[in-house]
Amino acid sequence: MPKLIIDNQEIDVQPGTKVIDAAEQLGIMIPRFCYHPALGSVGACRVCAVKFLQGPFKGVQMSCMIDAKDGMVVSTTDEEAVDFRKYVIEWLMLHHPHDCPVCDEGGHCLLQDMTVAGGHGLRRYQGKKRTHHDQHLGPLVQHEMNRCIQCYRCSRFYQKFSGYRDLGVLQIGERVYFGRYQAGTLESPFSGNLIDICPTGVYTDKPSRFIGRRWDYERTPSLCINCSLGCHTVVSTRYREIVRQEARFSEAVNGHFICDRGRYGFFYASQEKRPRYAQINGNEVSWEKSIQTARDQLNRISQESGPGAVASVGSVRSSLETQAALSRLCQKKGWQGPVYWIDHGQEMNVKTAAAELADELAVSLRDVEQADYILAVGADPVNEAPMLVLALRQAQRMGAKVCFLDPRPIGLPFSFQHISVAPQAMDLILAHLLKETIDQDTIKGLEPHEKKIFDAIPNNSHLVSSNQKLLNAVANDIRLSQRLVIVCGTDVVSETIPERAAYFARLLAKMGKQVGLFYLLPGANAFGAALLSDDAPTFGRILDEIEAGLVRALVLVENDPYGYYPDRPRLERVLQQLDLLLVMDYLDVRTIQDADVFLPTLTLYEAGGFFVNQEGRIQKASIAYQGGHPISQFSNGNHPPRSFRNQIPGKEAQPAWQALIELANENSATPKQGVRADILAWLVKTHPLFSKLPPDNAFPSDGIRINPGKDIHFRSAADRLVVPTLASESADQMELITVDWTFGTEELSTRSPHLRKMESKPCVFMHSNDAAQLDISEGDKVAVRSDTGIVSIHVTITDNMAPGVLIIPRHQRLDWQHLGASKITVSKDQIRKIREEEPC
Amino acid sequence: MNTDKNESPMTQILADLKALAIGFATTFKHLFQKPFTEEYPEYKRPLPARSRARIILTRDPDGGERCVACYLCSAVCPVSCISMQSAEQADGRRYAPWFRINFGRCIYCGLCEEACPTAAIQLTPDFEMCKQDILALVYEKEDLLVDHGGKDKQYNFYQYAGVVTDVGEKGTHIKEEKPVNIRSNLP
Ligand code: SF4
Ligand code: SF4
Ligand code: SF4
Ligand code: SF4
Ligand code: FES
């Protein structure tokens, strides 16, 4: 361990630590522009100069370029170094425009800070300044190239770190330009990070353009709940409105960055249409009246028809507190629920994932970066969990191979192997890979029940033989690798795959490999839901019971079945049959129109709370602001009202957990304080898993991981790893699956006006062979007829996917809910080409 | 006064009487001189332009609003009496859709004027700011905005800044070269 002295303080650091980092460990912040812990050093800006007094180097050197070595004596305050840095700043400012007052970076600008700190107050250079044209980079990032100081952070992040190619450096000398060859929307779904890493105002945040200054914002640590990864963010609040969200560093989860869906996905919180008042039959009433009415009606129904006539549906986007309060309410009242899962398949997939995630297998995003082989099964990272792409890219940069087993046209900014087979065949292929990989010794050492599963795997089929070469290569790579991660999705895969993936991982671990298992789940708190949903029926089952008249009242807690339920006509019909529909939400969901009683709830920015991400990590979001109508909406853009009142307007909403506890209590006087603590105490008592939950004030920033294992409750405890079989395949049949897209399918981010501009038009993906057979060409519009309805949609043809499969996004601009189910089989004559104007 | 204990009481009394006489004489003398007092508010004495009282928002020489809503004045204000919202105008200028100063709180320290990079906010000599209703001391933008340049008639921030507005394209501002052609390596 090198030991060196910086500014008269001695420090031991890890070998390979740069002097700039060693100083930071001592609390000495050496100025820097080009150096970034995630991007490494290039020595481009020269502002980190320090003086080396003793050791292998002498004189003024760049502290970001030099590894700490034994015996070094470094001074950051030496006159020569200070002088050097001062001149560097003056240089960098030569061409800098006179822009600070109209620059959105002002107030948190590294260049501004360094200029002031370096004492460069007055411009000596009297010549003309070099200027650049700016480019339109899309709806998220604003470009102002004059302000660049050529640190190369942007191009290094964009190309080297994340692998996208459409933004980089052009030109030479003092004319260098950072941008695209031609103006246009940035292709990377991580483009917002340019804003965070650029030390100047070249890239600024367009949605919050000219909204305010950093010093006026209240900044609060929060979480992204737009996918199951749960990246760390910091939100900026001003005048009762979230105006901006940035990445917050997290060692284990997202590192320094977040994706654009997360960054701009918060606008639902201040939507103008957001419901803010309690309603009974569409009429605004007080919160207390609503609660009282709902409680009376629910009690009446459960007295008349038994408590089983009330069903409650929870949400994978609710906080753990809300989920727990709902469980407690159901337990107390004997209601059915909490229901979380659309159908049996989803329930099995998510619960298996949560149950299989044993402590020794669970890995974080950061661990994925360290892998040397990654096998992804039924996962499409860009569309399902964007930040996983950056983790895979880091592994790939370090030499890891990445292989996808997936029917979809996977798009990633680096090269990878892709075994594209139909969803039904995936389990068979995975099982085959497993069989090819595991060595004889390991097989011999298997426990009998594990051996049974192994023996059930059938031998080569035609499916395998058509992919033989690729499969052999993959099996070989897996055998050779040391640190493997198996990524497994839970959306398009069949019910056996999550368990098969875990089985594969366990066997590989037995072979002496370091193995990680990384599931993707269908929501930010799906893991919490898996822990708390117990024996509850699925949503589909509840609809059956409503139709049969067994369930008369439905409580929807932050859950919008119109968004996800794949058979809309049925849903509409069935909800009409209810005697009571109670809806609680903070979104403008359609069920509010049908609701007999509606209660407005708070977002995570207003209520805070715990969320459990897909690796079982409980993380905490703090309360960012009190809620209420944003001032900008309250005053129509003009100055705030000139009258005063002691209530925040539009602040009637309460956390959903508060509403649930008030429903549970027989008298209406539930205190507003202490309710959350009560719920958490109940949770710890009933689910010992949560006993490790630290108190709020000592909650670690990276959260704590819980791995429940067998604690997860399954309805069927039968041996679930069935023999992979292939449904009889006919050349006439196609498998249709519905999938997520980065932009356009996730319910919170689709409410962001800025991300709407990023959505591509919904289209169905089709393999070129199928298209040729059906005589369909790119861009044609087709009508897909299912048992319940027709979906008409444009076609995109690709070779990069499994033949015999149709892939339709669950896009908010598409009525995919007429398909009847999220996975169906259609015969080819159910797909018909239609003319553009033809009504479908 | 002399308080030396060794002095006789008589000397002390004489000294006191003398002081009294001088005082009365001075007062008496002033009775016949022209008084300094000015009859405010009948007469309003002209104050130097730099005196610090009621605040205005000025315009640049071509009539545009100078304030770019940069928040520097509100940040520097020691009593936090300035608030505003910034936004973008169609012509590319940054401006304040609303701008509010609470003169009930303002201490007329002039720090906002010193901080202002565009010479927009200026203090004027008009100090007559007494109101019955305290809310009447809360001035909105329409109360603050004037149609002249105040103490600095010439300055136009957008002629110096590098951003594109109605005032100028890239490369047309003061001391700017023509924009680089990124598709050519010729000098
Ligand atoms: S990049 Fe920084 S220094 Fe440059 S104009 Fe913007 S705030 Fe000022
Ligand atoms: S645009 Fe920003 S990040 Fe890129 S080189 Fe210039 S200053 Fe650095
Ligand atoms: S990867 Fe998921 S959790 Fe992370 S920022 Fe993107 S949407 Fe949010
Ligand atoms: S400092 Fe000047 S330009 Fe900036 S907000 Fe205040 S008045 Fe406007
Ligand atoms: S930070 Fe060291 S040269 Fe830029």
Side-chain angles (χ1 to χ4, degrees), chain A residues 99 101 104 126 129 131-132 134 144 171 175 181 209-211 213 238 638-640 642, chain B residues 70-71 84-86 88 94 98 100 135 138 140 162 170 175 177 179-181 183-184 186:
Chain A
D99 271 3
D104 263 336
Q126 293 301 322
K129 296 179 188 175
T131 63
H132 282 297
D134 306 324
E144 186 65 51
Q171 274 290 343
R175 297 145 59 100
Y181 185 69
R209 181 160 163 82
F210 293 174
I211 294 276
R213 293 269 178 233
R238 182 162 182 266
N638 204 333
H639 61 71
R642 294 174 63 89
Chain B
C70 68
Y71 294 95
M84 78 193 85
Q85 180 58 57
S86 49
E88 190 172 7
R94 183 178 164 130
W98 60 267
R100 178 183 273 183
L135 209 58
V138 177
E140 303 293 353
K170 284 284 168 96
K175 283 200 186 145
E177 268 165 18
V180 170
N181 175 4
R183 296 215 167 68
S184 160
L186 296 175

CSV table of all heavy atoms in Angstrom, one decimal, chain A residues 99 101 104 126 129 131-132 134 144 171 175 181 209-211 213 238 638-640 642, chain B residues 70-71 84-86 88 94 98 100 135 138 140 162 170 175 177 179-181 183-184 186:
chain,number,residue,atom,x,y,z
A,99,ASP,N,-21.8,34.8,-20.4
A,99,ASP,CA,-23.2,34.2,-20.4
A,99,ASP,C,-23.8,33.9,-19.0
A,99,ASP,O,-24.9,33.6,-18.9
A,99,ASP,CB,-23.1,32.9,-21.1
A,99,ASP,CG,-23.4,33.0,-22.6
A,99,ASP,OD1,-23.5,34.1,-23.1
A,99,ASP,OD2,-23.4,32.0,-23.3
A,101,PRO,N,-25.3,35.1,-16.5
A,101,PRO,CA,-26.6,35.4,-16.1
A,101,PRO,C,-27.7,34.6,-16.8
A,101,PRO,O,-28.8,34.4,-16.3
A,101,PRO,CB,-26.7,36.9,-16.4
A,101,PRO,CG,-25.3,37.4,-16.5
A,101,PRO,CD,-24.5,36.2,-17.0
A,104,ASP,N,-27.9,28.3,-17.5
A,104,ASP,CA,-28.6,27.5,-16.5
A,104,ASP,C,-27.6,26.7,-15.6
A,104,ASP,O,-28.0,26.2,-14.5
A,104,ASP,CB,-29.5,26.4,-17.1
A,104,ASP,CG,-31.0,26.9,-17.2
A,104,ASP,OD1,-31.3,27.8,-16.3
A,104,ASP,OD2,-31.8,26.5,-18.0
A,126,GLN,N,-8.1,40.9,-24.7
A,126,GLN,CA,-8.9,41.8,-25.3
A,126,GLN,C,-9.3,41.4,-26.7
A,126,GLN,O,-10.0,42.2,-27.4
A,126,GLN,CB,-8.3,43.2,-25.3
A,126,GLN,CG,-8.1,43.8,-23.9
A,126,GLN,CD,-9.4,44.0,-23.2
A,126,GLN,OE1,-10.5,44.3,-23.8
A,126,GLN,NE2,-9.4,43.7,-21.9
A,129,LYS,N,-13.4,36.5,-29.5
A,129,LYS,CA,-13.7,35.2,-29.0
A,129,LYS,C,-14.1,34.2,-30.1
A,129,LYS,O,-14.9,34.6,-31.0
A,129,LYS,CB,-14.8,35.2,-28.0
A,129,LYS,CG,-14.4,36.0,-26.7
A,129,LYS,CD,-15.6,36.0,-25.8
A,129,LYS,CE,-15.4,36.9,-24.6
A,129,LYS,NZ,-16.7,36.9,-23.8
A,131,THR,N,-16.4,31.4,-31.6
A,131,THR,CA,-17.8,31.0,-31.4
A,131,THR,C,-18.1,29.8,-32.2
A,131,THR,O,-17.4,29.4,-33.1
A,131,THR,CB,-18.8,32.1,-31.8
A,131,THR,OG1,-18.7,32.3,-33.2
A,131,THR,CG2,-18.5,33.4,-31.0
A,132,HIS,N,-19.2,29.1,-31.7
A,132,HIS,CA,-19.7,27.9,-32.3
A,132,HIS,C,-21.2,28.0,-32.5
A,132,HIS,O,-21.9,28.6,-31.7
A,132,HIS,CB,-19.4,26.7,-31.4
A,132,HIS,CG,-18.0,26.2,-31.4
A,132,HIS,ND1,-17.4,25.7,-32.6
A,132,HIS,CD2,-17.1,26.1,-30.5
A,132,HIS,CE1,-16.2,25.3,-32.3
A,132,HIS,NE2,-16.0,25.6,-31.0
A,134,ASP,N,-24.8,26.1,-32.2
A,134,ASP,CA,-25.3,25.1,-31.4
A,134,ASP,C,-26.2,24.1,-32.2
A,134,ASP,O,-26.6,24.4,-33.3
A,134,ASP,CB,-26.2,25.7,-30.3
A,134,ASP,CG,-25.4,26.7,-29.5
A,134,ASP,OD1,-24.2,26.5,-29.3
A,134,ASP,OD2,-26.1,27.7,-29.1
A,144,GLU,N,-25.1,24.5,-25.9
A,144,GLU,CA,-24.6,25.9,-26.0
A,144,GLU,C,-23.1,25.8,-26.1
A,144,GLU,O,-22.4,25.9,-25.1
A,144,GLU,CB,-25.1,26.7,-24.8
A,144,GLU,CG,-24.8,28.2,-24.9
A,144,GLU,CD,-25.5,28.9,-26.0
A,144,GLU,OE1,-26.7,28.8,-26.1
A,144,GLU,OE2,-24.9,29.7,-26.7
A,171,GLN,N,-13.5,18.2,-35.3
A,171,GLN,CA,-12.6,19.3,-35.5
A,171,GLN,C,-11.3,19.2,-34.7
A,171,GLN,O,-11.1,18.2,-33.9
A,171,GLN,CB,-13.2,20.6,-35.2
A,171,GLN,CG,-13.9,21.2,-36.5
A,171,GLN,CD,-12.9,21.6,-37.5
A,171,GLN,OE1,-11.8,21.8,-37.3
A,171,GLN,NE2,-13.4,21.7,-38.8
A,175,ARG,N,-10.6,24.7,-32.4
A,175,ARG,CA,-11.9,24.6,-33.0
A,175,ARG,C,-12.7,23.4,-32.6
A,175,ARG,O,-13.8,23.2,-33.1
A,175,ARG,CB,-11.7,24.6,-34.5
A,175,ARG,CG,-11.1,25.9,-35.1
A,175,ARG,CD,-10.2,25.6,-36.3
A,175,ARG,NE,-11.0,25.0,-37.3
A,175,ARG,CZ,-11.4,25.6,-38.4
A,175,ARG,NH1,-11.2,26.9,-38.5
A,175,ARG,NH2,-12.1,25.0,-39.3
A,181,TYR,N,-22.8,14.8,-35.8
A,181,TYR,CA,-22.4,15.2,-37.1
A,181,TYR,C,-23.5,16.1,-37.7
A,181,TYR,O,-23.3,17.1,-38.4
A,181,TYR,CB,-22.2,14.0,-38.0
A,181,TYR,CG,-21.7,14.4,-39.4
A,181,TYR,CD1,-20.4,15.0,-39.5
A,181,TYR,CD2,-22.5,14.3,-40.5
A,181,TYR,CE1,-20.0,15.4,-40.7
A,181,TYR,CE2,-22.1,14.7,-41.7
A,181,TYR,CZ,-20.8,15.3,-41.9
A,181,TYR,OH,-20.4,15.7,-43.1
A,209,ARG,N,-35.3,24.3,-18.2
A,209,ARG,CA,-34.6,25.4,-18.7
A,209,ARG,C,-35.2,26.7,-18.2
A,209,ARG,O,-36.4,26.9,-18.2
A,209,ARG,CB,-34.7,25.4,-20.3
A,209,ARG,CG,-34.0,26.5,-21.0
A,209,ARG,CD,-33.7,26.2,-22.4
A,209,ARG,NE,-33.4,27.3,-23.2
A,209,ARG,CZ,-32.2,27.8,-23.3
A,209,ARG,NH1,-31.2,27.3,-22.6
A,209,ARG,NH2,-32.0,28.8,-24.1
A,210,PHE,N,-34.3,27.5,-17.7
A,210,PHE,CA,-34.6,28.9,-17.1
A,210,PHE,C,-35.7,28.8,-16.1
A,210,PHE,O,-36.6,29.7,-16.0
A,210,PHE,CB,-35.1,29.8,-18.3
A,210,PHE,CG,-34.1,30.1,-19.3
A,210,PHE,CD1,-34.4,30.9,-20.4
A,210,PHE,CD2,-32.8,29.8,-19.1
A,210,PHE,CE1,-33.5,31.2,-21.4
A,210,PHE,CE2,-31.8,30.1,-20.0
A,210,PHE,CZ,-32.2,30.9,-21.2
A,211,ILE,N,-35.7,27.7,-15.3
A,211,ILE,CA,-36.7,27.6,-14.2
A,211,ILE,C,-36.2,28.2,-12.9
A,211,ILE,O,-36.9,28.8,-12.1
A,211,ILE,CB,-37.1,26.2,-14.0
A,211,ILE,CG1,-37.8,25.6,-15.2
A,211,ILE,CG2,-38.0,26.0,-12.7
A,211,ILE,CD1,-39.3,25.9,-15.3
A,213,ARG,N,-32.4,28.7,-10.1
A,213,ARG,CA,-31.0,28.4,-9.7
A,213,ARG,C,-31.0,27.4,-8.7
A,213,ARG,O,-31.8,27.3,-7.8
A,213,ARG,CB,-30.4,29.7,-9.2
A,213,ARG,CG,-30.3,30.8,-10.3
A,213,ARG,CD,-29.0,30.7,-11.0
A,213,ARG,NE,-28.9,31.7,-12.1
A,213,ARG,CZ,-28.6,31.5,-13.3
A,213,ARG,NH1,-28.4,30.2,-13.7
A,213,ARG,NH2,-28.6,32.4,-14.2
A,238,ARG,N,-39.2,23.4,-6.1
A,238,ARG,CA,-39.3,24.9,-5.9
A,238,ARG,C,-40.7,25.3,-6.1
A,238,ARG,O,-41.4,24.8,-7.0
A,238,ARG,CB,-38.4,25.6,-7.0
A,238,ARG,CG,-38.5,27.1,-6.8
A,238,ARG,CD,-37.3,27.7,-7.6
A,238,ARG,NE,-37.3,29.1,-7.4
A,238,ARG,CZ,-37.9,30.0,-8.2
A,238,ARG,NH1,-38.5,29.5,-9.3
A,238,ARG,NH2,-37.9,31.3,-8.0
A,638,ASN,N,-48.6,33.9,-13.9
A,638,ASN,CA,-48.3,35.2,-13.4
A,638,ASN,C,-47.8,35.2,-11.9
A,638,ASN,O,-47.6,34.1,-11.4
A,638,ASN,CB,-49.6,36.0,-13.5
A,638,ASN,CG,-49.4,37.5,-13.6
A,638,ASN,OD1,-48.4,38.0,-13.1
A,638,ASN,ND2,-50.3,38.2,-14.2
A,639,HIS,N,-47.7,36.4,-11.3
A,639,HIS,CA,-47.2,36.4,-10.0
A,639,HIS,C,-48.1,35.6,-9.0
A,639,HIS,O,-49.3,35.5,-9.3
A,639,HIS,CB,-46.9,37.8,-9.5
A,639,HIS,CG,-48.1,38.7,-9.4
A,639,HIS,ND1,-49.1,38.5,-8.5
A,639,HIS,CD2,-48.5,39.7,-10.2
A,639,HIS,CE1,-50.0,39.4,-8.7
A,639,HIS,NE2,-49.7,40.1,-9.7
A,640,PRO,N,-47.6,35.1,-7.9
A,640,PRO,CA,-48.4,34.3,-7.0
A,640,PRO,C,-49.5,35.3,-6.4
A,640,PRO,O,-49.4,36.5,-6.4
A,640,PRO,CB,-47.4,34.0,-5.9
A,640,PRO,CG,-46.1,34.1,-6.5
A,640,PRO,CD,-46.2,35.2,-7.5
A,642,ARG,N,-52.0,37.5,-4.3
A,642,ARG,CA,-51.6,38.5,-3.2
A,642,ARG,C,-52.5,38.4,-2.0
A,642,ARG,O,-52.8,39.4,-1.3
A,642,ARG,CB,-51.7,39.9,-3.8
A,642,ARG,CG,-50.7,40.2,-4.9
A,642,ARG,CD,-50.9,41.5,-5.6
A,642,ARG,NE,-50.8,42.6,-4.7
A,642,ARG,CZ,-49.6,43.3,-4.5
A,642,ARG,NH1,-48.5,42.9,-5.1
A,642,ARG,NH2,-49.6,44.3,-3.7
B,70,CYS,N,-31.9,36.4,-13.5
B,70,CYS,CA,-30.8,35.5,-13.2
B,70,CYS,C,-30.8,35.1,-11.7
B,70,CYS,O,-30.0,34.3,-11.3
B,70,CYS,CB,-29.5,36.2,-13.6
B,70,CYS,SG,-29.1,37.6,-12.6
B,71,TYR,N,-31.6,35.7,-10.9
B,71,TYR,CA,-31.7,35.5,-9.5
B,71,TYR,C,-30.5,35.9,-8.7
B,71,TYR,O,-30.4,35.5,-7.5
B,71,TYR,CB,-31.9,34.0,-9.2
B,71,TYR,CG,-33.2,33.4,-9.8
B,71,TYR,CD1,-33.2,32.8,-11.0
B,71,TYR,CD2,-34.3,33.4,-9.0
B,71,TYR,CE1,-34.4,32.2,-11.5
B,71,TYR,CE2,-35.5,32.9,-9.5
B,71,TYR,CZ,-35.5,32.3,-10.8
B,71,TYR,OH,-36.7,31.8,-11.2
B,84,MET,N,-38.9,36.1,-7.8
B,84,MET,CA,-39.2,36.2,-9.3
B,84,MET,C,-39.4,34.8,-9.8
B,84,MET,O,-39.1,33.8,-9.2
B,84,MET,CB,-38.2,36.9,-10.0
B,84,MET,CG,-36.9,36.1,-10.3
B,84,MET,SD,-35.5,37.0,-10.8
B,84,MET,CE,-34.8,37.5,-9.3
B,85,GLN,N,-39.8,34.7,-11.1
B,85,GLN,CA,-39.7,33.5,-11.8
B,85,GLN,C,-39.1,33.8,-13.2
B,85,GLN,O,-39.4,34.8,-13.8
B,85,GLN,CB,-41.2,32.9,-12.0
B,85,GLN,CG,-41.2,31.6,-12.8
B,85,GLN,CD,-40.4,30.5,-12.2
B,85,GLN,OE1,-40.6,30.2,-11.0
B,85,GLN,NE2,-39.4,30.0,-12.9
B,86,SER,N,-38.2,32.9,-13.6
B,86,SER,CA,-37.5,33.1,-14.9
B,86,SER,C,-38.2,32.2,-15.9
B,86,SER,O,-38.8,31.2,-15.6
B,86,SER,CB,-36.0,32.8,-14.8
B,86,SER,OG,-35.9,31.5,-14.2
B,88,GLU,N,-38.3,31.7,-20.7
B,88,GLU,CA,-37.8,32.0,-21.9
B,88,GLU,C,-38.8,32.7,-22.8
B,88,GLU,O,-39.9,32.3,-22.9
B,88,GLU,CB,-37.3,30.7,-22.7
B,88,GLU,CG,-36.4,31.1,-23.9
B,88,GLU,CD,-35.8,29.8,-24.5
B,88,GLU,OE1,-36.1,28.7,-24.0
B,88,GLU,OE2,-35.0,30.0,-25.4
B,94,ARG,N,-34.0,35.5,-22.0
B,94,ARG,CA,-34.4,35.0,-20.7
B,94,ARG,C,-35.1,36.2,-20.0
B,94,ARG,O,-34.5,37.3,-20.0
B,94,ARG,CB,-33.2,34.5,-19.9
B,94,ARG,CG,-33.5,33.9,-18.5
B,94,ARG,CD,-32.2,33.4,-17.9
B,94,ARG,NE,-32.5,33.2,-16.5
B,94,ARG,CZ,-32.2,32.0,-15.9
B,94,ARG,NH1,-31.6,31.1,-16.5
B,94,ARG,NH2,-32.4,31.9,-14.6
B,98,TRP,N,-42.8,37.1,-13.8
B,98,TRP,CA,-43.2,38.0,-12.6
B,98,TRP,C,-42.0,38.3,-11.8
B,98,TRP,O,-41.0,37.5,-11.8
B,98,TRP,CB,-44.3,37.3,-11.8
B,98,TRP,CG,-44.1,36.0,-11.2
B,98,TRP,CD1,-44.4,34.8,-11.8
B,98,TRP,CD2,-43.5,35.7,-9.9
B,98,TRP,NE1,-44.0,33.8,-10.9
B,98,TRP,CE2,-43.5,34.3,-9.8
B,98,TRP,CE3,-43.1,36.5,-8.9
B,98,TRP,CZ2,-43.1,33.7,-8.6
B,98,TRP,CZ3,-42.6,35.9,-7.7
B,98,TRP,CH2,-42.6,34.5,-7.6
B,100,ARG,N,-41.1,40.3,-8.0
B,100,ARG,CA,-41.8,41.0,-6.9
B,100,ARG,C,-40.7,41.5,-5.9
B,100,ARG,O,-39.8,40.7,-5.5
B,100,ARG,CB,-42.7,39.9,-6.2
B,100,ARG,CG,-43.4,40.4,-5.0
B,100,ARG,CD,-44.2,39.2,-4.4
B,100,ARG,NE,-45.6,39.1,-5.0
B,100,ARG,CZ,-46.5,38.2,-4.6
B,100,ARG,NH1,-46.2,37.4,-3.7
B,100,ARG,NH2,-47.6,38.2,-5.2
B,135,LEU,N,-49.7,45.4,2.4
B,135,LEU,CA,-49.6,44.7,1.1
B,135,LEU,C,-49.3,45.7,-0.1
B,135,LEU,O,-48.8,45.3,-1.1
B,135,LEU,CB,-50.9,44.0,0.9
B,135,LEU,CG,-50.8,42.7,0.0
B,135,LEU,CD1,-49.8,41.7,0.7
B,135,LEU,CD2,-52.2,42.0,-0.1
B,138,VAL,N,-45.9,45.7,-1.4
B,138,VAL,CA,-45.4,44.6,-2.2
B,138,VAL,C,-45.5,45.0,-3.6
B,138,VAL,O,-46.7,45.0,-4.1
B,138,VAL,CB,-46.1,43.3,-1.9
B,138,VAL,CG1,-45.6,42.1,-2.8
B,138,VAL,CG2,-45.9,42.9,-0.4
B,140,GLU,N,-45.2,44.5,-7.7
B,140,GLU,CA,-45.0,43.5,-8.7
B,140,GLU,C,-44.3,44.1,-9.9
B,140,GLU,O,-43.9,45.3,-9.9
B,140,GLU,CB,-46.4,43.1,-9.2
B,140,GLU,CG,-47.3,42.5,-8.1
B,140,GLU,CD,-46.9,41.2,-7.5
B,140,GLU,OE1,-45.9,40.6,-8.0
B,140,GLU,OE2,-47.4,40.8,-6.5
B,162,GLY,N,-23.1,35.5,-25.5
B,162,GLY,CA,-22.9,34.7,-26.7
B,162,GLY,C,-24.1,34.1,-27.2
B,162,GLY,O,-24.1,33.4,-28.2
B,170,LYS,N,-25.1,34.0,-33.5
B,170,LYS,CA,-23.7,33.6,-33.1
B,170,LYS,C,-22.7,34.4,-33.9
B,170,LYS,O,-22.9,34.5,-35.1
B,170,LYS,CB,-23.5,32.1,-33.3
B,170,LYS,CG,-24.2,31.3,-32.2
B,170,LYS,CD,-23.4,31.3,-30.9
B,170,LYS,CE,-24.2,30.7,-29.8
B,170,LYS,NZ,-23.9,29.3,-29.5
B,175,LYS,N,-17.0,41.7,-30.0
B,175,LYS,CA,-15.7,41.0,-29.9
B,175,LYS,C,-16.0,39.5,-30.1
B,175,LYS,O,-15.5,38.6,-29.3
B,175,LYS,CB,-15.1,41.2,-28.5
B,175,LYS,CG,-14.4,42.5,-28.4
B,175,LYS,CD,-13.4,42.5,-27.3
B,175,LYS,CE,-12.8,43.9,-27.1
B,175,LYS,NZ,-12.5,44.2,-25.8
B,177,GLU,N,-15.7,36.3,-33.0
B,177,GLU,CA,-15.4,35.8,-34.4
B,177,GLU,C,-16.5,35.1,-35.0
B,177,GLU,O,-17.4,34.7,-34.3
B,177,GLU,CB,-14.2,34.9,-34.3
B,177,GLU,CG,-12.9,35.6,-34.4
B,177,GLU,CD,-11.7,34.8,-34.0
B,177,GLU,OE1,-11.9,33.6,-33.9
B,177,GLU,OE2,-10.6,35.4,-33.8
B,179,PRO,N,-18.7,32.1,-36.4
B,179,PRO,CA,-18.7,30.7,-35.8
B,179,PRO,C,-17.8,29.8,-36.7
B,179,PRO,O,-17.7,29.9,-37.9
B,179,PRO,CB,-20.1,30.3,-35.9
B,179,PRO,CG,-20.9,31.6,-36.0
B,179,PRO,CD,-20.0,32.6,-36.6
B,180,VAL,N,-17.2,28.8,-36.0
B,180,VAL,CA,-16.4,27.8,-36.6
B,180,VAL,C,-17.2,26.9,-37.6
B,180,VAL,O,-18.3,26.5,-37.2
B,180,VAL,CB,-15.7,26.9,-35.5
B,180,VAL,CG1,-15.0,25.7,-36.1
B,180,VAL,CG2,-14.8,27.7,-34.7
B,181,ASN,N,-16.6,26.6,-38.7
B,181,ASN,CA,-17.3,25.7,-39.6
B,181,ASN,C,-16.8,24.3,-39.3
B,181,ASN,O,-15.6,24.0,-39.6
B,181,ASN,CB,-17.0,26.1,-41.1
B,181,ASN,CG,-17.6,25.0,-42.0
B,181,ASN,OD1,-18.2,24.1,-41.6
B,181,ASN,ND2,-17.3,25.2,-43.3
B,183,ARG,N,-17.3,21.5,-40.5
B,183,ARG,CA,-17.1,20.5,-41.6
B,183,ARG,C,-15.9,20.9,-42.5
B,183,ARG,O,-15.8,20.3,-43.5
B,183,ARG,CB,-18.4,20.5,-42.4
B,183,ARG,CG,-19.6,20.0,-41.6
B,183,ARG,CD,-20.5,19.2,-42.4
B,183,ARG,NE,-21.4,18.5,-41.5
B,183,ARG,CZ,-22.3,19.1,-40.7
B,183,ARG,NH1,-22.4,20.4,-40.8
B,183,ARG,NH2,-23.1,18.4,-39.9
B,184,SER,N,-15.1,21.8,-42.1
B,184,SER,CA,-14.0,22.1,-42.9
B,184,SER,C,-12.7,22.3,-42.0
B,184,SER,O,-12.8,22.8,-40.9
B,184,SER,CB,-14.2,23.5,-43.6
B,184,SER,OG,-13.0,24.0,-44.0
B,186,LEU,N,-10.0,23.8,-43.1
B,186,LEU,CA,-9.3,25.0,-43.5
B,186,LEU,C,-9.3,26.0,-42.4
B,186,LEU,O,-10.3,26.2,-41.8
B,186,LEU,CB,-9.9,25.5,-44.8
B,186,LEU,CG,-9.8,24.6,-46.0
B,186,LEU,CD1,-10.6,25.2,-47.2
B,186,LEU,CD2,-8.4,24.3,-46.4
